[in-house]
Amino acid sequence: MPIKIESIKTERFTMKFFRFGNSASQKKFIIIPGTSLKSVMNYADSVSESYKIFAQDYEVFLFDIREQLPENYRIQDLAQDLAESLDSLNIKQSYILGVSMGGM
């Protein structure tokens, strides 16, 4: 299953993400991890293997937290960053799985 690590750059932040699965599908599945000291991009292969059940029917995206995390980063900031990222990818509807802080 090919995995492509990409970056979104806005005026406020840069955020990495990767995608796998059915790129022709209109159905999008978004995974939002919590904050971590390590990038989840290092685990792209493991994540794609763990969520391969979705790969046939969905294009699956996993977003990292923004690079250069500011002090006092709040859940509202995480949500705003993700909303901007989804807008930049023109994703209007999706299924979402949030893990830890990403689920808040």
Side-chain angles (χ1 to χ4, degrees):
M1 188 173 339
I3 298 171
K4 183 177 181 185
I5 295 177
E6 303 174 60
S7 289
I8 294 171
K9 295 180 183 185
T10 72
E11 291 179 17
R12 295 184 324 101
F13 65 88
T14 300
M15 179 186 289
K16 290 184 179 175
F17 70 98
F18 66 85
R19 62 174 99 192
F20 62 94
N22 185 350
S23 61
S25 176
Q26 294 299 309
K27 296 192 298 185
K28 310 301 181 197
F29 187 84
I30 309 299
I31 302 171
I32 308 167
T35 57
S36 174
L37 297 176
K38 292 183 179 181
S39 170
V40 292
M41 298 299 107
N42 298 328
Y43 307 101
D45 291 329
S46 297
V47 170
S48 66
E49 180 64 26
S50 296
Y51 290 91
K52 68 182 176 187
I53 190 169
F54 297 102
Q56 182 175 341
D57 296 327
Y58 299 89
E59 183 173 22
V60 182
F61 294 78
L62 186 133
F63 291 87
D64 208 350
I65 57 171
R66 71 179 355 196
E67 294 179 6
Q68 299 174 342
L69 198 61
E71 198 171 311
N72 300 320
Y73 191 66
R74 304 167 305 151
I75 294 168
Q76 295 89 337
D77 301 320
L78 180 105
Q80 183 177 0
D81 292 348
L82 183 63
E84 283 185 43
S85 297
L86 294 175
D87 284 345
S88 73
L89 294 170
N90 200 30
I91 297 175
K92 303 294 183 206
Q93 292 185 328
S94 64
Y95 296 89
I96 296 176
L97 170 65
V99 178
S100 190
M101 186 176 170
M104 297 173 84

XYZ file of all heavy atoms in Angstrom:
840
model
N 0.846 -1.163 0.000
C 0.000 0.000 0.000
C 0.904 1.243 0.000
O 1.621 1.467 0.964
C -0.851 -0.077 1.267
C -1.914 0.895 1.383
S -3.004 0.614 2.827
C -2.777 -1.078 3.278
N 0.888 2.038 -1.061
C 1.789 3.192 -1.109
C 1.376 4.284 -0.126
O 0.198 4.612 -0.011
C 1.675 3.677 -2.545
C 0.391 3.132 -3.048
C 0.105 1.890 -2.269
N 2.359 4.808 0.566
C 2.130 5.884 1.528
C 2.902 7.094 1.054
O 4.077 6.997 0.727
C 2.606 5.487 2.937
C 1.815 4.286 3.424
C 2.447 6.659 3.897
C 2.340 3.698 4.693
N 2.227 8.223 1.045
C 2.859 9.456 0.607
C 2.807 10.450 1.755
O 1.722 10.829 2.200
C 2.117 10.005 -0.613
C 2.728 11.236 -1.181
C 1.985 11.683 -2.422
C 2.656 12.914 -2.991
N 1.920 13.456 -4.116
N 3.965 10.865 2.252
C 4.028 11.886 3.297
C 4.102 13.238 2.608
O 4.917 13.453 1.721
C 5.217 11.660 4.242
C 5.024 10.348 4.999
C 5.348 12.837 5.210
C 6.143 9.970 5.917
N 3.202 14.130 3.022
C 3.084 15.442 2.404
C 3.072 16.513 3.487
O 2.961 16.200 4.668
C 1.787 15.516 1.589
C 1.684 14.429 0.529
C 0.340 14.422 -0.164
O -0.018 15.444 -0.773
O -0.347 13.392 -0.068
N 3.134 17.762 3.070
C 3.057 18.885 4.007
C 2.021 19.888 3.531
O 1.867 20.113 2.332
C 4.399 19.615 4.109
O 5.343 18.840 4.787
N 1.343 20.468 4.486
C 0.442 21.588 4.236
C 1.119 22.803 4.845
O 1.564 22.763 5.995
C -0.920 21.351 4.912
C -1.618 20.182 4.253
C -1.775 22.611 4.859
C -2.854 19.722 4.972
N 1.198 23.873 4.075
C 1.808 25.111 4.570
C 0.782 26.223 4.460
O 0.212 26.457 3.401
C 3.051 25.464 3.769
C 4.154 24.452 3.945
C 5.392 24.787 3.166
C 6.383 23.656 3.363
N 7.661 23.869 2.785
N 0.530 26.881 5.581
C -0.360 28.038 5.608
C 0.444 29.213 6.153
O 1.623 29.060 6.485
C -1.595 27.787 6.497
O -1.195 27.795 7.864
C -2.293 26.479 6.147
N -0.212 30.344 6.310
C 0.463 31.500 6.903
C 0.798 31.253 8.368
O 1.741 31.816 8.896
C -0.420 32.742 6.787
C -0.577 33.236 5.375
C -1.472 34.466 5.303
O -1.709 35.111 6.349
O -1.928 34.769 4.193
N 0.033 30.374 9.021
C 0.206 30.152 10.453
C 1.038 28.940 10.828
O 1.606 28.881 11.911
C -1.163 30.007 11.135
C -2.037 31.219 11.105
C -3.351 31.076 11.877
N -3.969 29.764 11.833
C -3.903 28.858 12.818
N -3.249 29.109 13.922
N -4.506 27.694 12.700
N 1.086 27.929 9.963
C 1.736 26.688 10.365
C 2.111 25.835 9.167
O 1.645 26.051 8.057
C 0.818 25.867 11.297
C -0.439 25.376 10.636
C -0.468 24.171 9.953
C -1.589 26.139 10.678
C -1.627 23.730 9.332
C -2.753 25.701 10.064
C -2.769 24.491 9.385
N 2.944 24.845 9.457
C 3.236 23.751 8.531
C 2.863 22.473 9.261
O 3.177 22.306 10.438
C 4.728 23.723 8.143
O 5.063 24.951 7.507
C 5.035 22.561 7.211
N 2.161 21.583 8.543
C 1.706 20.336 9.150
C 1.928 19.203 8.158
O 1.577 19.328 6.983
C 0.222 20.430 9.498
C -0.358 19.172 10.105
S -2.153 19.284 10.346
C -2.244 20.460 11.677
N 2.512 18.124 8.634
C 2.689 16.951 7.784
C 1.491 16.016 7.929
O 0.822 16.004 8.952
C 3.972 16.207 8.153
C 5.207 16.961 7.765
C 6.446 16.168 8.041
C 7.652 16.999 7.606
N 8.899 16.365 7.948
N 1.263 15.259 6.871
C 0.232 14.239 6.902
C 0.609 13.164 5.907
O 1.492 13.357 5.071
C -1.152 14.824 6.566
C -1.328 15.242 5.135
C -1.957 14.406 4.220
C -0.868 16.473 4.687
C -2.128 14.785 2.898
C -1.037 16.866 3.369
C -1.667 16.017 2.472
N -0.014 12.009 6.040
C 0.147 11.008 5.000
C -1.214 10.444 4.665
O -2.187 10.605 5.402
C 1.154 9.920 5.374
C 0.768 9.024 6.517
C -0.022 7.901 6.313
C 1.232 9.280 7.789
C -0.351 7.068 7.360
C 0.916 8.451 8.851
C 0.118 7.335 8.629
N -1.272 9.842 3.501
C -2.516 9.249 3.031
C -2.236 7.887 2.430
O -1.140 7.635 1.936
C -3.222 10.153 2.035
C -2.439 10.420 0.779
C -3.222 11.195 -0.246
N -2.875 12.611 -0.203
C -3.554 13.549 -0.825
N -4.607 13.261 -1.535
N -3.176 14.795 -0.737
N -3.238 7.054 2.477
C -3.147 5.735 1.845
C -4.563 5.279 1.554
O -5.536 5.918 1.957
C -2.398 4.735 2.742
C -3.052 4.460 4.065
C -3.913 3.377 4.222
C -2.827 5.280 5.162
C -4.513 3.119 5.442
C -3.421 5.031 6.391
C -4.260 3.940 6.528
N -4.682 4.208 0.849
C -5.991 3.657 0.553
C -6.465 4.014 -0.834
O -5.666 4.269 -1.735
N -7.763 4.086 -0.994
C -8.406 4.276 -2.288
C -8.487 5.761 -2.631
O -9.425 6.445 -2.237
C -9.807 3.644 -2.255
C -10.497 3.678 -3.580
O -10.058 4.326 -4.517
N -11.618 2.979 -3.665
N -7.527 6.250 -3.390
C -7.487 7.679 -3.724
C -8.624 8.089 -4.651
O -8.933 9.271 -4.764
C -6.141 8.046 -4.333
O -5.936 7.325 -5.528
N -9.271 7.133 -5.299
C -10.407 7.448 -6.175
C -11.723 7.531 -5.401
O -12.727 7.996 -5.935
C -10.522 6.386 -7.268
N -11.717 7.122 -4.153
C -12.944 7.114 -3.358
C -13.336 8.531 -2.952
O -12.483 9.361 -2.624
C -12.742 6.275 -2.094
O -13.900 6.335 -1.284
N -14.624 8.782 -2.952
C -15.141 10.053 -2.439
C -15.223 10.032 -0.910
O -15.387 11.071 -0.289
C -16.534 10.320 -3.024
C -16.521 10.559 -4.516
C -15.686 11.773 -4.885
O -15.870 12.846 -4.327
N -14.752 11.601 -5.795
N -15.103 8.837 -0.319
C -15.179 8.704 1.135
C -13.784 8.907 1.729
O -12.835 8.240 1.339
C -15.741 7.339 1.521
C -17.174 7.140 1.061
C -17.838 5.933 1.671
C -17.188 4.637 1.334
N -17.928 3.461 1.834
N -13.702 9.839 2.670
C -12.442 10.157 3.342
C -12.538 9.737 4.802
O -13.566 9.918 5.453
C -12.138 11.650 3.268
C -12.230 12.260 1.879
C -11.288 11.622 0.897
C -11.405 12.304 -0.466
N -10.840 11.515 -1.533
N -11.456 9.170 5.319
C -11.366 8.747 6.714
C -10.181 9.476 7.313
O -9.047 9.312 6.850
C -11.181 7.234 6.787
C -11.236 6.673 8.184
C -12.455 6.370 8.765
C -10.081 6.434 8.900
C -12.516 5.838 10.054
C -10.124 5.909 10.178
C -11.356 5.609 10.763
N -10.424 10.320 8.306
C -9.391 11.171 8.903
C -9.033 10.625 10.277
O -9.921 10.380 11.100
C -9.905 12.624 9.068
C -10.500 13.169 7.768
C -8.804 13.520 9.625
C -9.564 13.251 6.610
N -7.745 10.462 10.536
C -7.266 10.055 11.858
C -6.535 11.247 12.460
O -5.617 11.798 11.846
C -6.328 8.842 11.774
C -7.033 7.660 11.104
C -5.842 8.454 13.171
C -6.123 6.488 10.788
N -6.955 11.634 13.662
C -6.343 12.775 14.353
C -5.669 12.245 15.618
O -6.351 11.832 16.559
C -7.394 13.818 14.755
C -8.263 14.207 13.559
C -6.715 15.057 15.347
C -9.502 14.987 13.957
N -4.346 12.232 15.646
C -3.658 11.755 16.855
C -3.599 12.842 17.914
O -3.901 14.008 17.649
C -2.257 11.432 16.337
C -2.054 12.413 15.232
C -3.416 12.592 14.589
N -3.196 12.459 19.091
C -2.963 13.435 20.144
C -1.597 14.081 19.976
O -0.861 13.793 19.036
N -1.268 14.967 20.872
C 0.050 15.594 20.820
C 1.090 14.608 21.326
O 0.822 13.779 22.185
C 0.091 16.882 21.670
O -0.271 16.552 22.998
C -0.849 17.926 21.117
N 2.278 14.706 20.773
C 3.354 13.793 21.123
C 4.682 14.483 20.908
O 4.781 15.430 20.139
C 3.260 12.550 20.231
O 4.366 11.710 20.452
N 5.692 13.987 21.575
C 7.029 14.531 21.370
C 7.639 14.041 20.063
O 8.564 14.639 19.543
C 7.938 14.167 22.542
C 7.514 14.748 23.889
C 8.433 14.232 24.993
C 7.518 16.258 23.857
N 7.120 12.924 19.542
C 7.620 12.359 18.290
C 6.546 12.493 17.221
O 5.357 12.363 17.489
C 7.961 10.883 18.454
C 9.137 10.605 19.333
C 9.413 9.116 19.336
C 10.628 8.803 20.202
N 10.918 7.377 20.190
N 6.992 12.705 16.025
C 6.066 12.789 14.899
C 5.445 11.427 14.623
O 6.130 10.405 14.640
C 6.818 13.268 13.654
O 6.007 13.139 12.509
N 4.161 11.408 14.321
C 3.510 10.155 13.943
C 3.901 9.739 12.529
O 3.638 8.615 12.120
C 1.975 10.233 14.069
C 1.557 10.355 15.522
C 1.399 11.345 13.233
N 4.556 10.621 11.803
C 5.000 10.283 10.448
C 6.011 9.140 10.479
O 6.128 8.378 9.531
C 5.606 11.494 9.732
C 4.632 12.653 9.521
S 3.205 12.253 8.505
C 1.900 12.181 9.726
N 6.713 9.000 11.604
C 7.677 7.905 11.760
C 6.990 6.539 11.802
O 7.647 5.516 11.672
C 8.482 8.092 13.048
C 9.293 9.360 13.035
O 9.749 9.812 12.003
N 9.458 9.966 14.197
N 5.684 6.541 12.022
C 4.929 5.300 12.176
C 3.934 5.088 11.034
O 2.971 4.334 11.179
C 4.202 5.304 13.527
C 5.152 5.580 14.660
C 5.229 6.833 15.241
C 6.014 4.588 15.114
C 6.128 7.093 16.259
C 6.911 4.838 16.134
C 6.965 6.097 16.707
O 7.863 6.363 17.708
N 4.169 5.720 9.914
C 3.238 5.646 8.775
C 2.971 4.204 8.353
O 1.819 3.824 8.124
C 3.775 6.469 7.607
N 4.008 3.411 8.240
C 3.821 2.016 7.819
C 2.985 1.236 8.832
O 2.076 0.484 8.450
C 5.168 1.317 7.613
C 5.921 1.850 6.411
O 5.262 2.281 5.437
O 7.162 1.824 6.437
N 3.260 1.412 10.112
C 2.511 0.701 11.158
C 1.052 1.132 11.194
O 0.152 0.299 11.329
C 3.133 0.954 12.531
O 4.437 0.442 12.586
N 0.822 2.429 11.063
C -0.555 2.931 11.084
C -1.322 2.413 9.875
O -2.450 1.940 9.996
C -0.584 4.471 11.129
C -1.993 5.002 10.917
C -0.014 4.978 12.445
N -0.708 2.481 8.706
C -1.413 2.019 7.504
C -1.707 0.518 7.588
O -2.761 0.067 7.149
C -0.635 2.360 6.234
O 0.580 1.655 6.183
N -0.814 -0.232 8.189
C -1.057 -1.665 8.368
C -2.207 -1.894 9.359
O -3.085 -2.729 9.132
C 0.213 -2.361 8.863
C 0.068 -3.849 9.092
C -0.241 -4.658 7.841
O 0.116 -4.232 6.726
O -0.863 -5.732 7.984
N -2.225 -1.130 10.433
C -3.268 -1.280 11.450
C -4.657 -0.891 10.939
O -5.661 -1.447 11.379
C -2.941 -0.425 12.673
O -1.754 -0.871 13.279
N -4.700 0.057 10.022
C -5.981 0.558 9.512
C -6.242 0.124 8.067
O -7.079 0.714 7.387
C -6.034 2.083 9.636
C -6.144 2.533 11.061
C -5.001 2.807 11.815
C -7.381 2.646 11.683
C -5.090 3.202 13.139
C -7.480 3.036 13.012
C -6.329 3.308 13.727
O -6.423 3.697 15.037
N -5.581 -0.919 7.621
C -5.729 -1.364 6.239
C -7.150 -1.826 5.915
O -7.545 -1.821 4.757
C -4.718 -2.452 5.901
C -4.947 -3.768 6.606
C -3.871 -4.771 6.260
C -4.086 -6.050 7.054
N -2.961 -6.961 6.862
N -7.926 -2.165 6.921
C -9.310 -2.573 6.697
C -10.120 -1.465 6.015
O -11.079 -1.728 5.302
C -9.974 -3.017 8.023
C -11.316 -3.673 7.761
C -10.112 -1.849 8.967
C -11.898 -4.366 8.980
N -9.716 -0.211 6.200
C -10.415 0.918 5.601
C -9.906 1.265 4.199
O -10.546 2.017 3.481
C -10.265 2.157 6.489
C -10.892 2.004 7.840
C -10.111 1.741 8.946
C -12.267 2.105 8.004
C -10.690 1.594 10.205
C -12.849 1.953 9.249
C -12.058 1.697 10.357
N -8.756 0.742 3.822
C -8.057 1.182 2.616
C -8.800 0.899 1.309
O -8.630 1.623 0.338
C -6.656 0.570 2.558
N -9.610 -0.124 1.274
C -10.314 -0.436 0.025
C -11.433 0.571 -0.249
O -11.639 0.984 -1.390
C -10.898 -1.840 0.077
C -11.591 -2.237 -1.218
C -12.051 -3.684 -1.198
O -11.582 -4.494 -0.396
N -12.961 -4.013 -2.075
N -12.152 0.973 0.777
C -13.316 1.826 0.603
C -13.061 3.314 0.843
O -13.868 4.147 0.437
C -14.437 1.383 1.540
C -14.939 -0.013 1.209
O -14.937 -0.384 0.017
O -15.322 -0.741 2.140
N -11.975 3.643 1.511
C -11.709 5.027 1.903
C -10.314 5.473 1.469
O -9.392 4.668 1.401
C -11.754 5.186 3.428
C -13.076 4.851 4.050
C -13.355 3.549 4.453
C -14.036 5.833 4.256
C -14.572 3.234 5.041
C -15.251 5.520 4.848
C -15.515 4.220 5.235
O -16.712 3.912 5.812
N -10.186 6.765 1.274
C -8.859 7.367 1.252
C -8.632 7.815 2.690
O -9.412 8.608 3.238
C -8.782 8.546 0.288
C -7.393 9.114 0.204
C -7.228 10.171 -0.864
O -8.238 10.784 -1.278
O -6.076 10.393 -1.271
N -7.596 7.279 3.303
C -7.332 7.507 4.727
C -6.224 8.550 4.869
O -5.190 8.472 4.196
C -6.905 6.187 5.420
C -6.668 6.420 6.902
C -7.955 5.102 5.202
N -6.447 9.510 5.759
C -5.477 10.569 6.034
C -5.127 10.536 7.514
O -6.019 10.373 8.362
C -6.074 11.953 5.750
C -6.389 12.212 4.317
C -7.524 11.690 3.727
C -5.558 13.008 3.549
C -7.834 11.942 2.402
C -5.849 13.268 2.224
C -6.998 12.734 1.649
N -3.865 10.707 7.831
C -3.447 10.879 9.216
C -2.643 12.166 9.288
O -1.666 12.335 8.568
C -2.602 9.711 9.719
C -2.303 9.840 11.219
C -2.546 8.536 11.931
C -0.914 10.334 11.455
N -3.109 13.070 10.121
C -2.473 14.377 10.266
C -1.604 14.396 11.505
O -2.027 13.967 12.579
C -3.536 15.479 10.370
C -4.272 15.696 9.093
C -5.387 14.946 8.778
C -3.844 16.640 8.190
C -6.070 15.133 7.593
C -4.514 16.838 6.995
C -5.630 16.082 6.696
N -0.410 14.923 11.356
C 0.470 15.152 12.488
C 0.035 16.462 13.130
O -0.758 17.207 12.557
C 1.919 15.268 11.983
C 2.944 14.833 13.011
O 2.581 14.623 14.180
O 4.120 14.696 12.638
N 0.549 16.779 14.301
C 0.322 18.115 14.829
C 1.252 19.065 14.099
O 2.217 18.650 13.451
C 0.533 18.179 16.357
C 1.927 17.704 16.729
C -0.549 17.401 17.075
C 2.270 17.945 18.179
N 0.967 20.324 14.179
C 1.763 21.322 13.465
C 3.224 21.272 13.885
O 3.557 20.882 15.013
C 1.195 22.713 13.690
C 1.430 23.168 15.096
C 0.971 24.532 15.520
N 0.426 25.395 14.553
C 0.282 26.693 14.724
N 0.649 27.253 15.863
N -0.224 27.444 13.813
N 4.086 21.649 12.976
C 5.502 21.773 13.309
C 5.674 23.015 14.173
O 4.879 23.949 14.102
C 6.327 21.880 12.024
C 6.279 20.605 11.203
C 7.064 20.696 9.900
O 7.748 21.711 9.659
O 6.972 19.740 9.117
N 6.713 23.049 14.960
C 7.011 24.163 15.863
C 5.793 24.509 16.708
O 5.221 25.586 16.617
C 7.512 25.375 15.073
C 8.782 25.076 14.313
C 9.228 26.197 13.421
O 8.476 27.095 13.091
N 10.483 26.147 13.009
N 5.437 23.563 17.526
C 4.276 23.691 18.395
C 4.467 24.873 19.348
O 5.467 24.944 20.068
C 4.121 22.396 19.192
C 2.795 22.107 19.834
C 1.701 21.995 18.777
C 2.879 20.808 20.610
N 3.529 25.826 19.331
C 3.675 26.972 20.235
C 3.396 26.585 21.681
O 2.715 25.595 21.949
C 2.621 27.959 19.725
C 1.617 27.135 19.024
C 2.349 25.933 18.490
N 3.907 27.376 22.603
C 3.610 27.167 24.005
C 2.120 27.430 24.202
O 1.524 28.250 23.507
C 4.438 28.149 24.851
C 4.538 27.765 26.292
C 5.546 28.627 27.033
O 6.665 28.786 26.537
O 5.166 29.122 28.104
N 1.504 26.727 25.122
C 0.076 26.884 25.409
C -0.811 26.497 24.231
O -1.828 27.129 23.974
C -0.242 28.319 25.851
C 0.519 28.714 27.090
O 0.666 27.917 28.013
N 1.034 29.925 27.107
N -0.422 25.474 23.499
C -1.230 24.960 22.383
C -2.469 24.299 22.952
O -2.386 23.418 23.804
C -0.388 23.958 21.587
C -0.961 23.528 20.268
C -1.100 24.434 19.228
C -1.338 22.213 20.047
C -1.602 24.039 17.996
C -1.837 21.805 18.822
C -1.964 22.725 17.798
O -2.454 22.326 16.577
N -3.636 24.743 22.510
C -4.899 24.281 23.070
C -5.632 23.370 22.086
O -5.327 23.327 20.901
C -5.793 25.473 23.391
C -5.149 26.481 24.327
C -5.917 27.780 24.389
N -6.073 28.287 23.012
C -7.091 29.027 22.603
N -8.050 29.374 23.423
N -7.155 29.440 21.361
N -6.636 22.699 22.590
C -7.462 21.842 21.743
C -8.101 22.670 20.635
O -8.204 22.233 19.488
C -8.529 21.118 22.589
C -7.851 20.151 23.557
C -9.534 20.394 21.709
C -8.749 19.598 24.618
N -8.516 23.891 20.958
C -9.110 24.769 19.955
C -8.117 25.071 18.828
O -8.500 25.179 17.662
C -9.579 26.091 20.586
C -10.712 25.914 21.581
C -10.226 25.651 23.014
O -9.106 25.190 23.254
N -11.099 25.905 23.979
N -6.840 25.205 19.177
C -5.804 25.455 18.169
C -5.635 24.238 17.266
O -5.515 24.370 16.043
C -4.468 25.795 18.837
C -4.552 27.024 19.725
O -5.229 27.997 19.340
O -3.943 26.997 20.813
N -5.632 23.055 17.868
C -5.525 21.819 17.101
C -6.691 21.712 16.119
O -6.510 21.400 14.943
C -5.508 20.609 18.043
C -5.408 19.262 17.371
C -3.999 18.696 17.540
C -6.407 18.299 17.970
N -7.906 22.014 16.591
C -9.094 21.950 15.736
C -9.016 22.966 14.603
O -9.345 22.651 13.448
C -10.345 22.184 16.575
N -8.560 24.163 14.893
C -8.441 25.193 13.849
C -7.391 24.791 12.812
O -7.608 24.946 11.608
C -8.080 26.543 14.462
C -8.017 27.653 13.427
C -7.742 29.015 14.042
O -7.597 29.159 15.251
N -7.669 30.023 13.196
N -6.262 24.251 13.269
C -5.228 23.797 12.333
C -5.762 22.697 11.426
O -5.534 22.699 10.212
C -4.000 23.275 13.095
C -3.244 24.354 13.831
O -3.500 25.555 13.607
O -2.376 23.986 14.652
N -6.483 21.752 12.020
C -7.033 20.659 11.224
C -8.076 21.172 10.233
O -8.089 20.766 9.071
C -7.629 19.578 12.113
C -8.163 18.378 11.343
C -7.045 17.666 10.583
C -8.878 17.423 12.255
N -8.946 22.078 10.668
C -9.962 22.638 9.768
C -9.302 23.330 8.574
O -9.723 23.145 7.426
C -10.862 23.612 10.527
N -8.256 24.105 8.822
C -7.533 24.756 7.729
C -6.893 23.726 6.803
O -6.879 23.891 5.581
C -6.452 25.698 8.275
C -6.985 27.002 8.786
C -5.861 27.952 9.192
O -4.859 28.068 8.463
O -6.009 28.576 10.263
N -6.365 22.667 7.388
C -5.735 21.621 6.581
C -6.762 20.927 5.694
O -6.518 20.695 4.503
C -5.053 20.592 7.489
O -4.026 21.196 8.230
N -7.909 20.594 6.258
C -8.959 19.947 5.468
C -9.452 20.872 4.360
O -9.677 20.430 3.227
C -10.114 19.513 6.364
C -9.797 18.417 7.372
C -10.991 18.163 8.289
C -9.349 17.136 6.698
N -9.601 22.157 4.666
C -9.996 23.126 3.634
C -8.974 23.181 2.508
O -9.337 23.211 1.334
C -10.156 24.528 4.229
C -11.436 24.696 5.027
O -12.349 23.846 4.900
O -11.524 25.682 5.782
N -7.691 23.182 2.866
C -6.653 23.276 1.833
C -6.623 22.040 0.940
O -6.211 22.111 -0.213
C -5.278 23.524 2.453
O -4.796 22.370 3.083
N -7.096 20.903 1.467
C -7.179 19.670 0.670
C -8.554 19.491 0.028
O -8.818 18.483 -0.613
C -6.867 18.458 1.552
C -5.437 18.376 2.070
C -5.315 17.284 3.118
C -4.470 18.129 0.925
N -9.414 20.476 0.225
C -10.768 20.461 -0.328
C -11.572 19.247 0.150
O -12.342 18.667 -0.607
C -10.746 20.541 -1.858
C -12.062 21.013 -2.408
O -12.782 21.771 -1.762
N -12.395 20.565 -3.606
N -11.377 18.870 1.408
C -12.142 17.782 2.014
C -13.325 18.412 2.744
O -13.152 19.105 3.743
C -11.277 16.946 2.976
C -10.135 16.280 2.206
C -12.133 15.913 3.707
C -9.154 15.531 3.072
N -14.504 18.188 2.202
C -15.719 18.799 2.754
C -16.458 17.875 3.720
O -17.128 18.336 4.628
C -16.669 19.196 1.620
C -16.050 20.134 0.603
C -15.729 21.461 1.207
C -15.183 22.401 0.153
N -14.319 23.420 0.692
N -16.357 16.565 3.496
C -17.007 15.586 4.356
C -16.032 14.455 4.615
O -15.269 14.078 3.721
C -18.254 15.010 3.706
C -19.390 15.982 3.549
C -20.620 15.288 2.995
O -20.513 14.350 2.220
N -21.783 15.747 3.412
N -16.104 13.912 5.831
C -15.218 12.793 6.144
C -15.717 12.075 7.389
O -16.529 12.594 8.143
C -13.784 13.284 6.370
O -13.729 14.130 7.490
N -15.197 10.890 7.562
C -15.352 10.159 8.802
C -14.106 10.471 9.617
O -13.009 10.548 9.058
C -15.451 8.652 8.537
C -16.677 8.296 7.732
C -16.633 8.289 6.344
C -17.872 7.969 8.369
C -17.766 7.976 5.600
C -19.000 7.657 7.623
C -18.932 7.655 6.249
O -20.052 7.345 5.508
N -14.265 10.661 10.917
C -13.141 11.100 11.733
C -12.962 10.179 12.942
O -13.922 9.832 13.616
C -13.344 12.552 12.217
C -13.376 13.496 11.008
C -12.248 12.956 13.188
C -13.653 14.926 11.354
N -11.699 9.825 13.188
C -11.315 9.094 14.392
C -10.276 9.925 15.117
O -9.201 10.215 14.571
C -10.713 7.722 14.026
C -10.058 6.966 15.171
C -11.096 6.576 16.224
C -9.331 5.748 14.654
N -10.594 10.362 16.326
C -9.650 11.114 17.138
C -9.109 10.249 18.256
O -9.852 9.514 18.893
N -7.810 10.319 18.471
C -7.147 9.527 19.488
C -6.534 10.486 20.524
O -5.883 11.460 20.158
C -6.046 8.647 18.866
C -5.328 7.846 19.939
C -6.629 7.741 17.796
N -6.760 10.218 21.779
C -6.222 11.022 22.868
C -6.680 12.474 22.701
O -7.862 12.733 22.496
C -4.702 10.877 22.927
O -4.188 11.464 24.097
N -5.760 13.442 22.705
C -6.141 14.847 22.545
C -6.834 15.080 21.202
O -7.701 15.940 21.096
C -4.928 15.754 22.680
C -5.270 17.227 22.671
S -3.779 18.207 22.953
C -4.385 19.835 22.602
N -6.493 14.302 20.198
C -7.147 14.417 18.898
C -8.612 14.053 18.944
O -9.384 14.459 18.080
N -9.016 13.288 19.941
C -10.416 12.935 20.106
C -11.216 13.981 20.856
O -12.441 13.951 20.890
N -10.509 14.926 21.440
C -11.192 15.966 22.196
C -11.684 17.037 21.257
O -12.581 17.766 21.487
C -10.258 16.548 23.247
C -9.848 15.491 24.286
S -8.610 16.074 25.410
C -9.611 16.917 26.596
